[in-house]
């Protein structure tokens, strides 16, 4: 593609109040992340967040509201929202990021028209589903954005609301220690920094002190302003023969993204892992090779010159790191109490943010969760100011916290109607939205959304590489030229004809005195037949069989081609047209599609097959779903089914058993997912007979022009590769969705 214009510098800064991590930090941060297999070796007890294998039974369309359900649950989890009604997200608390790619202008038609070009999308994404036509503001629908939020401010009910404080207590704000220290007006970041005298008083490591002789400075000596970037920091320690030593460090950027989460092996012998606090065990730490000096070196690379570290009792974390840093915000001191006492982080998280951390049913603390919480507390303080904090009357809340009931049902119902933006705001996080200047959306004007407008898709991609790691929730919108209505109609017809021809086989030659009834029974044994005709135009008779599903046609070819039937060695093949020339390649790629891996197709199943299978479920390990299609008119079960298994190996073993002598079924690995069946049924019917030409042959010049870089097929391949590279840079534990919303048309 031709080089894109460079975007003006003013656009990038538009709408930003505080500078986030510079681009050089991202490169270093990405280097700290590894794939899941490495992470599992370091933390063998850790669980992965994953979307369920089985999303659908009868229906394979997901509404915009259902998609919003998943996104809200991914942000806040089951403590605040019920699980999505249409799928399962396991171990949501281990989910680190949510990234949504929107390919504006593309649809399911594009995906299957250019199926071979979208190699990465079909192989990497295990779950594919249909969506209804987009509304005028598709983005607002999928994140649940209400019209009242378009102006910019979020509803007041979400602004600093306390989950368990429904009544206001009469208090004297002037006597509140927070007001006495900071005043009643909002303060900037620099006002929240600990002074050197305060750091000395609270035993922070400082240069020149005898007990800090071997400590390493972070070399952050830049000029700090109210726009300097914040980083949440939390460390876990164990007890060694020399005292407390570092075992884990988590560093979170202001956008909410975790830029460093590392296990560390102490230099000295461990006498107590302090597992109840740290969550660290001998088994977890055994394979770890990272040392304290490695962490120190990487921190010096990661932190920009004016970085501000935020933590809770941060002096202990810096001493565990044996590092000196001049710019700190300590939330245990920021939310100041009377007589020098300090609130616990768990209490502040519940009272200020309405979130539960350090849950008793969890083994130890989650360093990343604690680091992110301290960052959210600092942002809350800066956003709402000391007066808002004083009005919460934290001392009174603390005194009767244990007697408070959890959120009432009405509050829970109100949360169901909140948007993804409100969910993020309630935990002190922002949504990142990358789009082109011309693509207006209500989302871009929302207050809790960091919008970056670009001049091209290429620039959206470049910005995404830099910004995605810094935010827990990101939406990237790429814009493509949609098919014209006339071309869309023509493409729909071609797709319908192509799948019809691929599901059609010609078989023969047969003897003139062959048993036609036996032949029909034979070919029907591979799957449901829509049309079977006898071809008499040839010297010897042939049969034309049009199957309902592609698997049946493929099974007939694989089972009977070159086989002696009714005294004749027959050939079974598809019609050869311009639409089926690449069908062998397409069939091979469909079998490798991630959604079809682990799924088998069976023909010849009876009405009692389901009960029979369940009676013998012990021999079919890993079975997750059974899909038994029914006739839309009669409601009766059809004679075929799909079985989905957890792994390809389990599916292969089941296939060998079910096609063996005991079950006597016909089957193979699946080629077509459920959503494709439903979509093809919705396409306009065509009366074209297999083999009849539908596309006029282009001239040599026209054919050559179709291969230029602007052709949709080339664009599909090109952007599929671009998105693949970006996808592989996402951190482990990321929920990634790619949406092709399509366009509205008559």
């Amino acid at each position: 593609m031709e080089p894109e214009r460079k975007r003006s510098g003013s656009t990038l800064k538009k709408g930003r109040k505080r500078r986030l991590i510079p681009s050089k930090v991202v490169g270093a941060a990405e280097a700290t992340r590894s794939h899941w297999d490495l992470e599992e070796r370091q933390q063998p007890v850790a669980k992965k967040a994953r979307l369920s294998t089985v999303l659908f039974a009868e229906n394979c369309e997901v509404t915009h509201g259902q998609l919003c359900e998943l996104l809200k649950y991914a942000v806040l989890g089951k403590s605040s929202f019920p699980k999505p009604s249409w799928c399962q997200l396991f171990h949501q608390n281990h989910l680190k990021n949510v990234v949504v790619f929107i390919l504006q202008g593309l649809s399911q038609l594009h995906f299957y028209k250019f199926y071979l070009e979208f190699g990465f999308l079909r192989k990497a994404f295990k779950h594919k589903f249909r969506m209804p036509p987009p509304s005028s503001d598709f983005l607002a629908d999928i994140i649940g954005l209400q019209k009242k939020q378009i102006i910019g401010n979020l509803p007041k009910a979400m602004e600093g609301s306390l989950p368990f404080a429904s009544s206001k207590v009469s208090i004297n704000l002037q006597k509140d220690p927070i007001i006495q220290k900071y005043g009643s007006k909002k303060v900037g970041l620099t006002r929240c920094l600990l002074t050197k005298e305060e750091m000395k008083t609270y035993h922070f490591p400082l240069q020149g002190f005898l007990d800090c002789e071997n400590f390493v400075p972070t070399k952050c000596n830049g000029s700090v302003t109210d726009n300097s970037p914040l980083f949440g920091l939390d460390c876990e320690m164990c007890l060694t023969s020399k005292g407390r030593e570092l075992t884990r460090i988590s560093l979170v950027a202001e956008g909410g993204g975790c830029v460093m989460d590392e296990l560390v092996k102490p230099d000295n012998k461990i006498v107590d892992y302090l597992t109840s606090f740290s969550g660290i065990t001998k088994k977890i730490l055994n394979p770890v090779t990272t040392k304290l000096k490695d962490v120190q070196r990487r921190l010096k690379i990661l932190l920009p010159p004016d970085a501000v570290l935020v933590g809770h009792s941060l002096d202990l974390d810096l001493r565990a790191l044996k590092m000196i840093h001049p710019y700190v915000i300590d939330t245990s001191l920021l939310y100041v109490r009377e007589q020098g006492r300090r609130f616990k982080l768990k209490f502040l998280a519940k009272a200020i943010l309405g979130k539960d951390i350090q849950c008793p049913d969890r083994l130890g603390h989650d360093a990343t969760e604690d680091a992110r919480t301290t960052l959210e507390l600092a942002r809350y303080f800066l956003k709402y100011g000391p007066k808002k904090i004083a009005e919460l009357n934290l001392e009174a809340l603390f005194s009767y916290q244990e007697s408070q009931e959890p959120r009432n049902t009405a509050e829970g119902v109100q949360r169901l109607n909140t948007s993804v933006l409100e969910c993020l705001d309630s935990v002190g996080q922002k949504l990142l939205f990358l789009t082109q200047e011309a693509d207006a959306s209500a989302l871009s004007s929302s207050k809790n959304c960091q919008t970056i407008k670009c001049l091209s898709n290429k620039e959206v991609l470049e910005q995404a590489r830099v910004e995605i790691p810094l935010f827990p929730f990101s939406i990237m919108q790429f814009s493509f030229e949609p098919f014209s209505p006339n071309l869309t109609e023509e493409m729909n017809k071609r797709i319908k004809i192509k799948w019809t021809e691929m599901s059609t086989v010609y078989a023969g030659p047969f003897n003139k005195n062959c048993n036609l009834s036996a032949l029909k029974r034979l070919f029907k044994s591979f799957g449901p037949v829509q049309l079977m005709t006898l071809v008499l135009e040839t010297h010897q008779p042939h049969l034309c069989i049009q199957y309902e599903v592609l698997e049946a046609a493929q099974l007939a070819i694989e089972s009977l081609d070159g086989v002696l039937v009714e005294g004749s060695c027959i050939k079974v093949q598809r019609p050869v047209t311009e639409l089926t020339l690449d069908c062998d390649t397409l069939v091979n790629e469909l079998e490798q599609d991630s959604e079809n891996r682990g799924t088998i197709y069976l023909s010849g199943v009876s009405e009692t097959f389901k009960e029979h299978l369940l009676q013998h479920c012990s021999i079919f390990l890993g079975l997750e779903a059974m899909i038994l299609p029914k006739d839309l008119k009669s409601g009766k079960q059809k004679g075929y089914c799909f079985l989905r298994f957890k792994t390809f190996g389990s599916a292969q073993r089941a296939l060998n058993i079910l096609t063996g002598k005991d079950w006597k079924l016909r089957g193979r690995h699946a080629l077509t997912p459920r959503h494709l069946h439903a979509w093809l049924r919705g396409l306009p019917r065509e009366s074209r007979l297999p083999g009849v030409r539908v596309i006029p042959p282009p001239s040599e010049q026209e054919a050559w022009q179709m291969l230029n870089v602007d052709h949709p097929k080339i664009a599909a391949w090109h952007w599929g590769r671009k998105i693949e590279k970006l996808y592989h840079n996402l951190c482990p534990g990321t929920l990634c969705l790619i949406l092709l919303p399509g366009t509205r048309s008559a």
Side-chain angles (χ1 to χ4, degrees):
M1 298 181 71
E2 293 182 0
E4 304 286 353
R5 291 178 298 160
K6 188 174 181 181
R7 182 173 51 83
S8 62
S10 60
T11 309
L12 179 62
K13 297 179 181 178
K14 184 177 181 181
R16 291 196 177 186
K17 291 186 177 180
R18 180 178 297 112
R19 181 173 62 83
L20 299 179
I21 304 177
S23 58
K24 67 175 184 179
V25 175
V26 177
E30 287 175 348
T32 68
R33 303 186 186 118
S34 57
H35 295 293
W36 274 112
D37 54 351
L38 178 58
E39 183 168 317
E40 284 179 328
R41 288 199 296 270
Q42 291 183 340
Q43 301 184 41
V45 298
K47 297 178 180 179
K48 303 177 189 176
R50 64 182 178 88
L51 202 61
S52 63
T53 303
V54 183
L55 298 184
F56 315 103
E58 296 302 320
N59 186 27
C60 42
E61 180 174 279
V62 174
T63 66
H64 301 150
Q66 288 174 323
L67 192 57
C68 186
E69 282 179 21
L70 172 62
L71 296 178
K72 288 193 287 189
Y73 182 76
V75 173
L76 290 185
K78 62 183 179 181
S79 63
S80 301
F81 284 99
K83 293 181 179 180
S85 59
W86 59 281
C87 67
Q88 286 183 289
L89 180 60
F90 295 102
H91 311 307
Q92 177 275 340
N93 56 324
H94 294 275
L95 191 67
K96 295 183 178 179
N97 296 88
V98 178
V99 177
V100 181
F101 295 97
I102 297 177
L103 309 186
Q104 195 68 40
L106 301 190
S107 65
Q108 191 166 353
L109 172 62
H110 290 80
F111 182 78
Y112 281 107
K113 174 62 180 174
F114 306 120
Y115 182 81
L116 295 178
E117 284 71 32
F118 280 121
F120 166 69
L121 299 190
R122 55 185 162 83
K123 290 180 179 178
F125 289 81
K126 196 171 185 179
H127 312 294
K128 303 180 185 72
F129 51 86
R130 301 173 65 214
M131 288 190 300
S135 64
S136 58
D137 198 337
F138 170 74
L139 269 174
D141 290 343
I142 65 169
I143 66 167
L145 194 63
Q146 303 298 319
K147 291 182 179 179
K148 63 183 177 180
Q149 292 177 305
I150 296 176
I151 305 299
N153 291 329
L154 294 173
K156 292 183 178 180
M158 294 296 295
E159 295 185 3
S161 60
L162 288 172
F164 54 83
S166 57
S167 61
K168 290 187 177 181
V169 182
S170 178
I171 54 174
N172 187 347
L173 294 182
Q174 296 307 315
K175 291 185 178 181
D176 191 281
I178 292 180
I179 297 294
Q180 290 178 353
K181 181 175 181 179
Y182 297 102
S184 59
K185 295 182 179 180
K186 291 184 181 181
V187 296
L189 183 152
T190 53
R191 179 67 179 87
C192 298
L193 296 176
L194 290 181
T195 65
K196 190 170 183 178
E197 281 300 312
E198 287 175 322
M199 292 178 73
K200 183 178 179 180
T201 301
Y202 294 112
H203 309 293
F204 276 76
L206 295 169
Q207 284 186 322
F209 281 61
L210 292 177
D211 60 343
C212 305
E213 287 180 347
N214 298 321
F215 281 40
V216 178
T218 57
K219 292 188 177 179
C220 293
N221 49 13
S223 178
V224 176
T225 68
D226 287 342
N227 295 322
S228 292
L230 301 176
F231 292 80
L233 174 69
D234 187 69
C235 297
E236 301 295 343
M237 282 79 83
C238 69
L239 195 62
T240 71
S241 57
K242 296 291 185 180
R244 289 180 179 265
E245 289 190 48
L246 182 72
T247 53
R248 182 182 177 186
I249 174 176
S250 288
L251 187 72
V252 176
E254 190 171 356
C258 181
V259 294
M260 187 177 184
D261 186 14
E262 199 73 44
L263 291 170
V264 185
K265 180 162 285 187
D267 294 324
N268 299 293
K269 182 181 178 181
I270 300 174
V271 296
D272 190 345
Y273 284 87
L274 303 176
T275 305
S276 59
F277 298 102
S278 67
I280 305 297
T281 63
K282 182 178 180 180
K283 185 178 180 181
I284 291 175
L285 218 53
N286 267 344
V288 176
T289 58
T290 303
K291 291 289 190 177
L292 177 62
K293 61 181 180 181
D294 301 319
V295 172
Q296 292 172 337
R297 182 171 58 251
R298 288 164 67 178
L299 271 177
K300 290 169 70 174
I301 296 172
L302 279 170
L303 296 175
D306 60 341
V308 175
L309 292 181
V310 182
H312 200 80
S313 298
L314 193 56
D315 55 310
L316 300 178
D317 298 316
L318 289 173
R319 287 190 175 275
L321 286 167
K322 293 188 176 181
M323 297 192 77
I324 296 171
H325 187 79
Y327 313 124
V328 297
I329 295 176
D330 193 323
T331 50
S332 70
L333 300 171
L334 184 67
Y335 290 85
V336 60
R337 293 184 69 186
E338 296 173 346
Q339 301 173 356
R341 294 174 297 170
R342 303 189 191 189
F343 290 117
K344 291 183 178 180
L345 182 62
K346 181 180 175 69
F347 167 77
L348 290 175
K350 183 71 173 177
I352 304 296
L353 307 174
K355 61 187 285 188
D356 294 304
I357 65 169
Q358 303 173 1
C359 300
D361 58 344
R362 191 183 301 168
L363 185 62
H365 297 177
D366 184 335
T368 303
E369 182 184 62
D370 289 358
R372 186 175 285 120
T373 301
T374 61
L375 198 56
E376 292 166 12
L377 287 170
R379 287 188 59 213
Y380 188 99
F381 193 98
L382 292 169
K383 181 177 181 180
Y384 296 109
K387 185 179 178 182
K388 179 74 172 180
I389 309 300
E391 289 173 348
L392 298 178
N393 198 2
L394 295 178
E395 285 289 348
L397 288 172
F398 183 79
S399 66
Y400 59 85
Q401 178 191 27
E402 297 298 328
S403 63
Q404 292 301 308
E405 293 293 329
R407 305 174 187 194
N408 59 40
T409 305
E411 288 170 330
V413 171
Q414 185 178 7
R415 277 234 150 168
L416 291 177
N417 297 322
T418 61
S419 70
V420 173
L421 278 176
E422 292 172 327
C423 295
L424 288 166
D425 187 60
S426 70
V427 292
Q429 297 174 355
K430 282 189 174 184
L431 181 147
L432 171 66
F433 180 40
L434 285 171
T435 186
Q436 292 194 42
E437 289 274 8
D439 297 328
S441 170
L443 179 62
S444 60
S445 60
S446 298
K447 185 177 180 180
N448 201 43
C449 176
Q450 182 73 54
T451 302
I452 300 178
K453 295 185 178 180
C454 306
L455 292 177
S456 64
N457 285 336
K458 182 179 179 181
E459 191 174 351
V460 171
L461 194 70
E462 291 170 350
Q463 288 290 326
R465 293 192 185 102
V466 175
E467 300 289 346
I468 283 180
L470 312 181
F471 289 82
F473 196 112
S474 306
I475 295 179
M476 315 295 114
Q477 182 166 271
F478 300 92
S479 296
F480 300 93
E481 188 67 30
F483 288 153
S484 66
N486 290 337
L487 184 56
T488 297
E489 184 180 358
E490 180 65 23
M491 287 294 182
N492 278 324
K493 291 179 181 178
R494 293 181 187 180
I495 288 287
K496 182 74 172 181
I497 292 170
K498 179 166 185 167
W499 285 95
T500 300
E501 291 182 345
M502 288 182 61
S503 301
T504 301
V505 297
Y506 283 91
F510 297 103
N511 293 325
K512 293 182 179 179
N513 58 350
C514 64
N515 187 336
L516 188 60
S517 296
L519 287 177
K520 287 184 176 180
R521 285 196 301 271
L522 174 63
F523 282 97
K524 285 182 178 179
S525 69
F526 299 108
V529 173
Q530 286 191 329
L531 183 67
M532 188 181 301
T533 57
L534 188 64
V535 180
L536 300 175
E537 298 295 324
T538 53
H539 176 63
Q540 289 180 283
H542 285 69
L543 279 177
C544 175
I545 307 102
Q546 182 181 322
Y547 286 101
E548 184 178 314
V549 292
L550 179 61
E551 287 85 353
Q554 188 64 23
L555 193 55
I557 293 172
E558 294 167 347
S559 302
L560 296 181
D561 187 33
V563 174
L564 194 66
V565 177
E566 292 283 319
S568 299
C569 184
I570 66 170
K571 187 171 183 62
V572 182
Q573 60 186 339
R574 290 186 175 88
V576 180
T577 71
E578 71 279 359
L579 295 178
T580 62
L581 287 174
D582 63 352
C583 67
D584 289 340
T585 302
L586 185 55
V587 166
N588 289 335
E589 293 299 327
L590 282 166
E591 194 166 352
Q592 299 302 315
D593 190 300
S594 59
E595 193 170 9
N596 295 327
R597 298 281 290 177
T599 303
I600 60 174
Y601 162 82
L602 295 171
S603 178
V605 300
S606 64
E607 292 185 357
T608 60
F609 171 74
K610 181 178 179 180
E611 289 72 21
H612 193 195
L613 186 73
L614 293 175
Q615 289 173 2
H616 298 82
C617 61
S618 59
I619 63 174
F620 299 107
L621 299 178
L623 177 63
E624 288 191 326
M626 184 189 310
I627 300 170
L628 296 161
K630 296 180 180 179
D631 187 273
L632 295 177
K633 292 182 179 179
S634 66
K636 292 183 178 180
Q637 181 182 312
K638 295 185 178 181
Y640 70 98
C641 75
F642 292 92
L643 301 181
R644 176 169 284 183
F645 293 83
K646 285 185 178 180
T647 65
F648 178 80
S650 298
Q652 183 62 60
R653 286 190 293 271
L655 184 62
N656 293 337
I657 295 171
L658 291 166
T659 56
K661 62 180 181 179
D662 293 330
W663 292 75
K664 298 179 181 179
L665 299 176
R666 296 187 184 274
R668 73 175 320 278
H669 289 283
L671 297 173
T672 51
R674 289 276 292 158
H675 72 269
L676 179 58
H677 296 166
W679 180 61
L680 290 173
R681 282 199 304 268
L683 293 181
R685 291 187 174 273
E686 278 297 307
S687 59
R688 173 196 177 195
L689 295 174
V692 179
R693 179 177 294 278
V694 69
I695 306 172
S699 66
E700 184 176 339
Q701 184 178 3
E702 289 173 337
W704 181 257
Q705 288 175 348
M706 289 184 71
L707 294 178
N708 67 39
V709 293
D710 294 324
H711 189 267
K713 180 182 291 188
I714 304 299
W717 176 85
H718 177 77
W719 283 99
R721 294 287 300 273
K722 294 286 187 183
I723 292 174
E724 177 182 6
K725 291 180 180 178
L726 186 58
Y727 172 85
H728 287 307
N729 283 332
L730 300 178
C731 75
T734 296
L735 172 65
C736 184
L737 289 86
I738 295 187
L739 306 180
L740 287 68
T743 54
R744 272 198 172 277
S745 65

